[in-house]
Amino acid sequence: MSFPGQFSDPRVITLFGLLAVSTVVWLSLGLRARARRDKARTPLERVWHPQESIPLTPAEEHAFGQVVSRLSPGSAGRLR
């Protein structure tokens, strides 16, 4: 099967072939990266810690609240 006109040039056929292969590679790598990110977002199994059963003092609760508020995402989704 031969292509009409300009498309019969082997350089054009090679160019389109390379474009097709690079597009497939780019899409497959993007999908693999997305799958890895989605897999990493699954929550970890909850691990019980012995200190969880010990009540905190008001000063400890306040300190913990300060740490949590600094680690929570800000308005732009970035840490403060």
Side-chain angles (χ1 to χ4, degrees):
M1 179 178 153
S2 64
F3 295 103
Q6 299 173 348
F7 295 107
S8 61
D9 187 1
R11 293 175 294 182
V12 174
I13 295 170
T14 304
L15 177 67
F16 281 126
L18 286 174
L19 181 64
V21 169
S22 63
T23 302
V24 168
V25 168
W26 179 71
L27 286 173
S28 65
L29 290 176
L31 289 174
R32 283 183 65 200
R34 176 182 278 183
R36 251 186 264 128
R37 275 194 315 265
D38 290 344
K39 187 176 182 180
R41 288 185 188 165
T42 57
L44 298 175
E45 185 178 328
R46 179 106 163 77
V47 177
W48 177 81
H49 194 274
Q51 289 181 337
E52 289 180 355
S53 58
I54 299 172
L56 298 176
T57 66
E60 290 171 330
E61 285 185 16
H62 178 71
F64 180 74
Q66 293 293 320
V67 171
V68 170
S69 68
R70 295 190 115 216
L71 292 178
S72 62
S75 59
R78 287 180 257 146
L79 295 178
R80 293 186 223 168

